[in-house]
Short mmCIF file of all heavy atoms in Angstrom, two decimals:
data_model
loop_
_atom_site.label_atom_id
_atom_site.label_comp_id
_atom_site.label_asym_id
_atom_site.label_seq_id
_atom_site.Cartn_x
_atom_site.Cartn_y
_atom_site.Cartn_z
N PHE A 5 -0.78 -56.61 -38.13
CA PHE A 5 0.57 -55.98 -38.45
C PHE A 5 0.53 -54.33 -38.15
O PHE A 5 1.63 -53.85 -37.80
CB PHE A 5 0.97 -56.23 -39.85
CG PHE A 5 1.38 -57.65 -40.05
CD1 PHE A 5 0.45 -58.38 -40.95
CD2 PHE A 5 2.46 -58.22 -39.55
CE1 PHE A 5 0.81 -59.72 -41.14
CE2 PHE A 5 2.68 -59.54 -39.70
CZ PHE A 5 1.82 -60.23 -40.52
N MET A 6 -0.64 -53.79 -38.08
CA MET A 6 -0.69 -52.44 -37.65
C MET A 6 -0.40 -52.25 -36.17
O MET A 6 0.28 -51.27 -35.81
CB MET A 6 -2.25 -51.93 -37.89
CG MET A 6 -2.26 -50.39 -37.67
SD MET A 6 -1.17 -49.38 -38.49
CE MET A 6 -1.83 -49.59 -40.21
N GLN A 7 -0.65 -53.32 -35.36
CA GLN A 7 -0.18 -53.22 -34.00
C GLN A 7 1.40 -53.30 -33.96
O GLN A 7 1.96 -52.72 -32.98
CB GLN A 7 -0.77 -54.40 -33.16
CG GLN A 7 -2.39 -54.25 -32.96
CD GLN A 7 -2.68 -52.93 -32.23
OE1 GLN A 7 -2.03 -52.61 -31.31
NE2 GLN A 7 -3.61 -52.19 -32.79
N VAL A 8 1.97 -54.01 -34.85
CA VAL A 8 3.49 -54.03 -34.91
C VAL A 8 3.95 -52.62 -35.25
O VAL A 8 4.91 -52.22 -34.67
CB VAL A 8 3.92 -55.04 -35.88
CG1 VAL A 8 5.53 -55.11 -35.93
CG2 VAL A 8 3.41 -56.44 -35.49
N ALA A 9 3.26 -51.96 -36.24
CA ALA A 9 3.71 -50.64 -36.62
C ALA A 9 3.49 -49.68 -35.46
O ALA A 9 4.51 -48.77 -35.26
CB ALA A 9 2.86 -50.26 -37.87
N ILE A 10 2.50 -49.94 -34.66
CA ILE A 10 2.17 -49.01 -33.52
C ILE A 10 3.21 -49.24 -32.52
O ILE A 10 3.81 -48.27 -31.86
CB ILE A 10 0.83 -49.27 -32.97
CG1 ILE A 10 -0.33 -48.79 -33.90
CG2 ILE A 10 0.59 -48.65 -31.63
CD1 ILE A 10 -1.66 -49.06 -33.53
N GLU A 11 3.81 -50.44 -32.31
CA GLU A 11 4.91 -50.79 -31.41
C GLU A 11 6.04 -50.07 -31.77
O GLU A 11 6.81 -49.39 -30.97
CB GLU A 11 5.15 -52.28 -31.33
CG GLU A 11 4.17 -53.10 -30.65
CD GLU A 11 4.45 -54.53 -30.94
OE1 GLU A 11 5.56 -54.97 -31.30
OE2 GLU A 11 3.55 -55.37 -30.66
N GLU A 12 6.39 -49.90 -33.06
CA GLU A 12 7.52 -49.13 -33.60
C GLU A 12 7.27 -47.64 -33.39
O GLU A 12 8.26 -47.04 -32.95
CB GLU A 12 7.64 -49.49 -35.11
CG GLU A 12 8.21 -50.81 -35.44
CD GLU A 12 9.68 -50.87 -34.93
OE1 GLU A 12 10.51 -50.03 -34.99
OE2 GLU A 12 10.16 -52.14 -34.54
N ALA A 13 6.10 -47.19 -33.57
CA ALA A 13 5.89 -45.73 -33.34
C ALA A 13 6.07 -45.44 -31.91
O ALA A 13 6.80 -44.44 -31.59
CB ALA A 13 4.38 -45.38 -33.65
N ARG A 14 5.63 -46.29 -30.94
CA ARG A 14 5.92 -46.02 -29.52
C ARG A 14 7.44 -46.16 -29.30
O ARG A 14 7.91 -45.47 -28.38
CB ARG A 14 5.08 -47.08 -28.75
CG ARG A 14 3.68 -46.73 -28.79
CD ARG A 14 2.87 -47.63 -27.88
NE ARG A 14 1.34 -47.29 -27.73
CZ ARG A 14 0.43 -48.10 -27.68
NH1 ARG A 14 0.56 -49.34 -27.87
NH2 ARG A 14 -0.83 -47.64 -27.58
N ILE A 22 9.93 -38.97 -33.39
CA ILE A 22 8.52 -38.80 -33.86
C ILE A 22 7.76 -40.09 -33.94
O ILE A 22 8.44 -41.01 -34.48
CB ILE A 22 8.62 -38.10 -35.25
CG1 ILE A 22 9.23 -36.65 -35.03
CG2 ILE A 22 7.17 -37.85 -35.84
CD1 ILE A 22 9.64 -35.97 -36.26
N PRO A 23 6.62 -40.29 -33.37
CA PRO A 23 5.95 -41.52 -33.29
C PRO A 23 5.32 -42.01 -34.55
O PRO A 23 4.10 -42.09 -34.67
CB PRO A 23 5.01 -41.36 -32.19
CG PRO A 23 4.62 -39.94 -32.21
CD PRO A 23 5.82 -39.26 -32.65
N ILE A 24 6.04 -42.48 -35.46
CA ILE A 24 5.58 -43.04 -36.74
C ILE A 24 6.33 -44.35 -36.92
O ILE A 24 7.44 -44.34 -36.94
CB ILE A 24 5.77 -42.04 -37.97
CG1 ILE A 24 5.19 -40.68 -37.67
CG2 ILE A 24 5.20 -42.82 -39.22
CD1 ILE A 24 5.62 -39.61 -38.68
N GLY A 25 5.58 -45.48 -37.13
CA GLY A 25 6.07 -46.61 -37.32
C GLY A 25 5.54 -47.36 -38.48
O GLY A 25 4.48 -47.00 -39.04
N SER A 26 6.36 -48.37 -38.94
CA SER A 26 5.99 -48.98 -40.32
C SER A 26 6.49 -50.47 -40.19
O SER A 26 7.59 -50.78 -39.73
CB SER A 26 6.61 -48.25 -41.46
OG SER A 26 6.23 -48.77 -42.68
N VAL A 27 5.92 -51.25 -41.01
CA VAL A 27 6.17 -52.71 -41.14
C VAL A 27 6.16 -53.20 -42.57
O VAL A 27 5.06 -52.97 -43.27
CB VAL A 27 5.38 -53.55 -40.23
CG1 VAL A 27 5.74 -54.99 -40.11
CG2 VAL A 27 5.45 -53.07 -38.80
N GLY A 38 10.39 -50.61 -38.62
CA GLY A 38 11.09 -49.45 -38.40
C GLY A 38 10.23 -48.31 -38.01
O GLY A 38 9.13 -48.43 -37.91
N GLY A 52 9.51 -43.50 -40.98
CA GLY A 52 9.25 -44.89 -40.64
C GLY A 52 9.29 -45.80 -41.77
O GLY A 52 9.56 -46.97 -41.64
N GLU A 53 8.67 -45.42 -42.93
CA GLU A 53 8.52 -46.32 -44.14
C GLU A 53 9.98 -46.60 -44.55
O GLU A 53 10.30 -47.72 -44.92
CB GLU A 53 7.69 -45.71 -45.14
CG GLU A 53 6.21 -45.48 -44.71
CD GLU A 53 6.00 -44.04 -44.18
OE1 GLU A 53 7.02 -43.40 -43.59
OE2 GLU A 53 4.77 -43.72 -44.05
N LEU A 73 2.75 -52.86 -47.04
CA LEU A 73 3.52 -51.85 -46.12
C LEU A 73 2.49 -51.30 -45.22
O LEU A 73 1.53 -50.59 -45.55
CB LEU A 73 4.20 -50.81 -46.90
CG LEU A 73 4.99 -49.95 -45.96
CD1 LEU A 73 6.20 -50.42 -45.48
CD2 LEU A 73 5.36 -48.67 -46.71
N TYR A 74 2.61 -51.53 -43.96
CA TYR A 74 1.79 -51.07 -42.84
C TYR A 74 2.54 -49.76 -42.21
O TYR A 74 3.70 -49.85 -41.84
CB TYR A 74 1.52 -52.00 -41.75
CG TYR A 74 0.64 -53.13 -42.18
CD1 TYR A 74 1.19 -54.30 -43.01
CD2 TYR A 74 -0.72 -53.22 -41.81
CE1 TYR A 74 0.43 -55.23 -43.45
CE2 TYR A 74 -1.39 -54.32 -42.16
CZ TYR A 74 -1.00 -55.32 -42.95
OH TYR A 74 -1.74 -56.25 -43.37
N THR A 75 1.79 -48.67 -42.12
CA THR A 75 2.42 -47.42 -41.72
C THR A 75 1.24 -46.67 -40.76
O THR A 75 0.11 -46.71 -41.17
CB THR A 75 2.93 -46.56 -42.69
OG1 THR A 75 3.57 -45.38 -42.08
CG2 THR A 75 1.89 -46.19 -43.79
N THR A 76 1.73 -46.08 -39.66
CA THR A 76 0.83 -45.58 -38.75
C THR A 76 0.26 -44.11 -39.20
O THR A 76 -0.67 -43.77 -38.77
CB THR A 76 1.50 -45.42 -37.34
OG1 THR A 76 2.65 -44.51 -37.57
CG2 THR A 76 1.76 -46.64 -36.71
N LEU A 77 1.05 -43.58 -40.24
CA LEU A 77 0.56 -42.26 -40.66
C LEU A 77 0.74 -42.41 -42.34
O LEU A 77 1.60 -42.90 -42.82
CB LEU A 77 1.58 -41.19 -40.04
CG LEU A 77 1.15 -39.77 -40.37
CD1 LEU A 77 -0.21 -39.42 -39.83
CD2 LEU A 77 2.20 -38.68 -40.01
N SER A 78 -0.19 -41.53 -42.90
CA SER A 78 -0.12 -41.46 -44.40
C SER A 78 1.22 -41.01 -44.82
O SER A 78 1.93 -40.20 -44.39
CB SER A 78 -1.21 -40.41 -44.72
OG SER A 78 -1.37 -40.32 -46.22
N PRO A 79 1.81 -41.75 -45.90
CA PRO A 79 3.10 -41.57 -46.36
C PRO A 79 3.34 -40.19 -47.08
O PRO A 79 2.56 -39.92 -47.89
CB PRO A 79 3.39 -42.65 -47.28
CG PRO A 79 2.27 -43.74 -47.14
CD PRO A 79 1.04 -42.90 -46.45
N ILE A 96 -1.24 -50.13 -46.06
CA ILE A 96 -2.32 -49.94 -44.97
C ILE A 96 -1.88 -48.89 -44.12
O ILE A 96 -0.85 -49.04 -43.51
CB ILE A 96 -2.45 -51.32 -44.29
CG1 ILE A 96 -2.98 -52.53 -45.28
CG2 ILE A 96 -3.53 -51.26 -43.31
CD1 ILE A 96 -1.70 -53.10 -45.81
N ILE A 97 -2.69 -47.81 -43.95
CA ILE A 97 -2.39 -46.63 -43.22
C ILE A 97 -3.21 -46.66 -42.02
O ILE A 97 -4.40 -46.64 -42.02
CB ILE A 97 -2.68 -45.39 -44.13
CG1 ILE A 97 -1.74 -45.44 -45.34
CG2 ILE A 97 -2.61 -44.15 -43.33
CD1 ILE A 97 -2.16 -44.43 -46.44
N GLY A 98 -2.50 -46.26 -40.87
CA GLY A 98 -3.24 -46.16 -39.59
C GLY A 98 -4.22 -44.97 -39.53
O GLY A 98 -5.25 -45.05 -39.09
N GLU A 99 -3.73 -43.90 -39.98
CA GLU A 99 -4.57 -42.63 -40.01
C GLU A 99 -3.94 -41.58 -40.76
O GLU A 99 -2.78 -41.56 -41.25
CB GLU A 99 -4.66 -42.08 -38.58
CG GLU A 99 -3.42 -41.46 -38.11
CD GLU A 99 -3.41 -39.96 -37.97
OE1 GLU A 99 -4.17 -39.33 -38.68
OE2 GLU A 99 -2.46 -39.43 -37.31
N ASN A 100 -4.88 -40.77 -41.48
CA ASN A 100 -4.53 -39.49 -42.27
C ASN A 100 -5.20 -38.36 -41.84
O ASN A 100 -5.28 -37.36 -42.63
CB ASN A 100 -4.83 -39.95 -43.74
CG ASN A 100 -6.35 -39.94 -44.05
OD1 ASN A 100 -7.17 -39.74 -43.23
ND2 ASN A 100 -6.66 -40.52 -45.18
N ARG A 101 -5.54 -38.28 -40.66
CA ARG A 101 -6.31 -37.08 -40.11
C ARG A 101 -5.31 -36.02 -39.69
O ARG A 101 -5.47 -34.83 -39.92
CB ARG A 101 -7.13 -37.27 -38.89
CG ARG A 101 -8.36 -38.09 -39.39
CD ARG A 101 -9.28 -38.41 -38.24
NE ARG A 101 -10.46 -39.28 -38.45
CZ ARG A 101 -11.30 -39.69 -37.45
NH1 ARG A 101 -11.07 -39.57 -36.30
NH2 ARG A 101 -12.18 -40.52 -38.00
N THR A 102 -4.15 -36.35 -39.05
CA THR A 102 -3.25 -35.40 -38.73
C THR A 102 -2.24 -35.08 -39.95
O THR A 102 -1.71 -33.90 -39.85
CB THR A 102 -2.27 -35.95 -37.55
OG1 THR A 102 -1.69 -37.23 -37.95
CG2 THR A 102 -3.19 -36.18 -36.30
N PHE A 103 -2.17 -35.96 -40.88
CA PHE A 103 -1.46 -35.60 -42.09
C PHE A 103 -1.96 -36.41 -43.26
O PHE A 103 -1.92 -37.71 -43.14
CB PHE A 103 0.14 -35.91 -41.85
CG PHE A 103 1.07 -35.67 -43.01
CD1 PHE A 103 1.29 -34.45 -43.51
CD2 PHE A 103 1.45 -36.84 -43.82
CE1 PHE A 103 2.14 -34.31 -44.75
CE2 PHE A 103 2.17 -36.63 -44.93
CZ PHE A 103 2.52 -35.46 -45.40
N GLN A 121 -8.04 -45.17 -39.98
CA GLN A 121 -8.34 -44.19 -39.00
C GLN A 121 -8.28 -44.89 -37.56
O GLN A 121 -9.29 -44.79 -36.78
CB GLN A 121 -9.69 -43.61 -39.11
CG GLN A 121 -9.86 -42.86 -40.52
CD GLN A 121 -8.82 -41.73 -40.84
OE1 GLN A 121 -7.91 -41.48 -40.13
NE2 GLN A 121 -8.98 -41.00 -41.97
N ASP A 122 -7.20 -45.55 -37.26
CA ASP A 122 -7.00 -46.14 -35.99
C ASP A 122 -6.91 -45.15 -34.86
O ASP A 122 -6.04 -44.12 -34.95
CB ASP A 122 -5.84 -47.07 -36.03
CG ASP A 122 -5.55 -47.70 -34.92
OD1 ASP A 122 -5.31 -47.27 -33.78
OD2 ASP A 122 -5.56 -49.07 -34.84
N VAL A 124 -5.64 -45.30 -31.90
CA VAL A 124 -4.31 -45.20 -31.24
C VAL A 124 -3.34 -44.42 -32.13
O VAL A 124 -2.66 -43.55 -31.58
CB VAL A 124 -3.79 -46.67 -31.05
CG1 VAL A 124 -2.46 -46.83 -30.47
CG2 VAL A 124 -4.67 -47.42 -30.11
N CYS A 125 -3.33 -44.64 -33.46
CA CYS A 125 -2.48 -43.88 -34.38
C CYS A 125 -2.84 -42.40 -34.20
O CYS A 125 -1.91 -41.49 -34.16
CB CYS A 125 -2.55 -44.47 -35.68
SG CYS A 125 -2.08 -46.14 -35.96
N ILE A 126 -4.10 -42.13 -34.30
CA ILE A 126 -4.51 -40.73 -34.17
C ILE A 126 -4.13 -40.02 -32.84
O ILE A 126 -3.42 -38.97 -32.93
CB ILE A 126 -6.05 -40.53 -34.38
CG1 ILE A 126 -6.43 -41.07 -35.79
CG2 ILE A 126 -6.53 -39.19 -34.09
CD1 ILE A 126 -7.91 -41.41 -35.96
N LEU A 128 -1.61 -40.92 -30.81
CA LEU A 128 -0.18 -40.82 -30.71
C LEU A 128 0.35 -39.68 -31.54
O LEU A 128 1.09 -38.82 -31.06
CB LEU A 128 0.47 -42.03 -31.37
CG LEU A 128 0.80 -43.28 -30.55
CD1 LEU A 128 1.13 -44.36 -31.49
CD2 LEU A 128 1.99 -42.90 -29.55
N MET A 129 -0.18 -39.38 -32.69
CA MET A 129 0.25 -38.15 -33.55
C MET A 129 -0.16 -36.81 -32.83
O MET A 129 0.55 -35.92 -32.81
CB MET A 129 -0.12 -38.39 -35.00
CG MET A 129 0.82 -39.37 -35.72
SD MET A 129 2.50 -39.12 -35.56
CE MET A 129 2.71 -37.43 -36.03
#
Side-chain angles (χ1 to χ4, degrees):
F5 295 110
M6 186 58 68
Q7 290 304 311
V8 179
I10 290 169
E11 289 171 15
E12 285 292 327
R14 287 182 173 142
I22 299 164
I24 303 168
S26 189
V27 183
E53 300 90 339
L73 185 74
Y74 290 76
T75 183
T76 58
L77 187 65
S78 188
I96 300 89
I97 298 168
E99 67 104 350
N100 64 7
R101 290 184 185 168
T102 56
F103 175 76
Q121 302 304 8
D122 185 294
V124 174
C125 295
I126 294 167
L128 271 170
M129 284 312 303

